[in-house]
Amino acid sequence: MRRVFMPTPLLLLSCFGASWVLADSLAAPVNVSIRDLKSSSAVVTWDTPDGEPVIGFAITQQKKDVRMLRFIQEVNTTTRSCALWDLEADTDYIVHVQSISISGASPVSEAVHFKTPTEVETQASKNKDEVTMEEVGPNAQLRAGEFIIIVVVLIMWAGVIALFCRQYDIIKDNEPNNNKDKAKNSSECSTPEHTSGGLLRSKV
């Protein structure tokens, strides 16, 4: 459950005094930081020490050099982030975070200062991200195509080598049979040798 107040300074002090009593045993949030900063929004994140019985949080958002504050309170949650909206572009802000337990609220965290970018800066950053994604897309497709071509060439070479080895084995196996056939044909076609005087002549 989230409650958002935008009280005047006096009402804000009264709100803090009436709503929560500081819990002595509850430590303040740490590592408070700002991310996803845009011209009209941002996200504040933080950590809480281990073992703290935290049931919610409270955030104060203030423009620099302006006494008006925005107070955001949410209970029954374990989230460690909160979106800040309706910010003004090119404006300095200060944010504090408090943890809330059943016994009360923790001391405020260290102040975090940030400045929202202008509309032009936000648009330029967005266009830069889009260009980067467009550049990455064709490069990734090109790498994938090159990889496919390499794989196909390797498969073709493997097939050629396998075919060559098979043909070589067949030729090698046929060589003994060819030699036997040649020897047989040579013995059949050769003229038999006769010793001198071996031929008999008939007497007249």
Side-chain angles (χ1 to χ4, degrees):
M1 180 177 62
R2 176 176 295 182
R3 299 177 183 177
V4 179
F5 305 96
M6 296 189 66
T8 60
L10 293 179
L11 183 57
L12 177 67
L13 294 177
S14 175
C15 221
F16 271 114
S19 297
W20 298 106
V21 177
L22 292 180
D24 295 335
S25 60
L26 195 62
V30 295
N31 301 328
V32 181
S33 60
I34 301 295
R35 61 178 177 83
D36 298 338
L37 183 59
K38 300 178 182 178
S39 59
S40 60
S41 64
V43 176
V44 57
T45 62
W46 64 91
D47 295 323
T48 56
D50 295 336
E52 295 287 354
V54 177
I55 62 170
F57 64 85
I59 295 175
T60 57
Q61 168 193 321
Q62 177 185 6
K63 290 183 182 179
K64 188 177 180 181
D65 301 329
V66 177
R67 294 184 178 180
M68 182 69 68
L69 299 177
R70 170 184 284 175
F71 179 64
I72 303 173
Q73 173 184 311
E74 185 169 348
V75 294
N76 297 329
T77 180
T78 58
T79 184
R80 298 293 181 266
S81 64
C82 179
L84 307 177
W85 66 96
D86 290 341
L87 305 180
E88 296 181 8
D90 195 22
T91 304
D92 293 306
Y93 286 91
I94 303 173
V95 170
H96 294 87
V97 182
Q98 284 181 287
S99 295
I100 298 175
S101 68
I102 298 177
S103 59
S106 71
V108 296
S109 66
E110 295 183 0
V112 175
H113 299 257
F114 68 94
K115 184 177 181 179
T116 54
T118 62
E119 292 288 349
V120 176
E121 292 173 343
T122 302
Q123 189 64 30
S125 177
K126 183 178 179 181
N127 293 337
K128 183 178 179 181
D129 294 338
E130 291 177 354
V131 170
T132 303
M133 291 301 295
E134 290 176 358
E135 292 176 352
V136 170
N139 291 336
Q141 294 177 359
L142 181 60
R143 294 192 190 98
E146 293 175 351
F147 179 76
I148 292 173
I149 292 173
I150 292 172
V151 171
V152 171
V153 171
L154 291 176
I155 292 174
M156 292 177 64
W157 271 106
V160 170
I161 293 172
L163 181 62
F164 174 79
C165 293
R166 183 179 179 184
Q167 293 295 330
Y168 178 77
D169 292 338
I170 294 174
I171 293 171
K172 189 175 180 181
D173 292 339
N174 290 336
E175 281 183 356
N177 296 330
N178 292 334
N179 293 334
K180 291 179 180 179
D181 294 339
K182 288 180 180 179
K184 184 177 180 181
N185 293 332
S186 176
S187 62
E188 291 177 353
C189 296
S190 62
T191 302
E193 296 181 356
H194 300 280
T195 59
S196 60
L199 295 177
L200 300 176
R201 294 182 180 180
S202 62
K203 293 181 179 182
V204 178

